[in-house]
Amino acid sequence: MPDPQAAAPAFSLTEFRAALGMFATGVAIVTARAPDGAPVGLTVNSFASVSLVPPLVSWNLALNSTSLPVFQAGTHYAINVLGAAQQDLALRFAAPRVERWAGVAWRPGMAGAPLLAGAVAHFECESLALHEAGDHVIFIGRVEHCDHRAGAAPLLFHGGRFYTETAL
């Protein structure tokens, strides 16, 4: 396997981020409970389906995230796919905040991970595998329960801006 540190890329970090931004994604908040029971959550746009049988999903978290130890040690988490009206929530959970949960409506899922009110879908997962890659950890979760609001408009992210769907 080639050494990922062997050669410097022929492009800048800024160019790489701009190119990645051309891939439109959904927006989700991944949530869990800390050992003391406090809710923990952060905004991601790295959520993806891995397998239908068994039902597996993935998401990524930066190695320098203050939430990383909670997700590494935890057995369960929830992925809350945000709706078009939840841009403020996406921004709240993306920014460093002391009290990001103040006034946020949620209920505990089957294993206790917070399920956010208004989300267009929830995926309640058992943490199956973690893989360190570059400056992130890739989490693979086995979906134990999911639900969705049929016909609800999702929150989308592209080129550094939020959007919602428009049929072509």
Side-chain angles (χ1 to χ4, degrees):
M1 175 177 254
D3 179 2
Q5 302 291 330
F11 48 83
S12 70
L13 179 59
T14 302
E15 290 170 307
F16 186 51
R17 288 181 63 95
L20 289 171
M22 292 296 99
F23 183 68
T25 67
V27 182
I29 295 176
V30 183
T31 58
R33 290 304 236 339
D36 66 0
V40 175
L42 55 112
T43 301
V44 302
N45 67 344
S46 60
F47 171 61
S49 169
V50 173
S51 170
L52 293 177
V53 180
L56 303 176
V57 295
S58 71
W59 62 283
N60 307 327
L61 182 58
L63 287 171
N64 65 359
S65 171
T66 58
S67 301
L68 183 62
V70 171
F71 288 102
Q72 285 177 314
T75 61
H76 289 81
Y77 52 82
I79 298 165
N80 300 268
V81 179
L82 299 185
Q86 294 182 300
Q87 178 180 343
D88 289 344
L89 202 57
L91 292 170
R92 173 190 282 228
F93 279 80
R97 289 180 78 116
V98 174
E99 188 47 63
R100 61 176 48 154
W101 288 91
V104 174
W106 63 276
R107 62 182 168 82
M110 292 174 23
L115 302 180
L116 300 175
V120 298
H122 299 109
F123 296 87
E124 297 180 65
C125 303
E126 174 188 21
S127 187
L128 185 65
L130 289 73
H131 303 282
E132 191 171 319
D135 59 0
H136 279 68
V137 174
I138 303 165
F139 287 81
I140 307 285
R142 184 178 66 81
V143 179
E144 295 181 326
H145 184 262
C146 66
D147 62 54
H148 72 284
R149 291 190 298 126
L155 182 62
L156 304 175
F157 194 71
H158 175 261
R161 295 178 53 200
F162 290 103
Y163 295 86
T164 191
E165 67 182 347
T166 302
L168 297 177

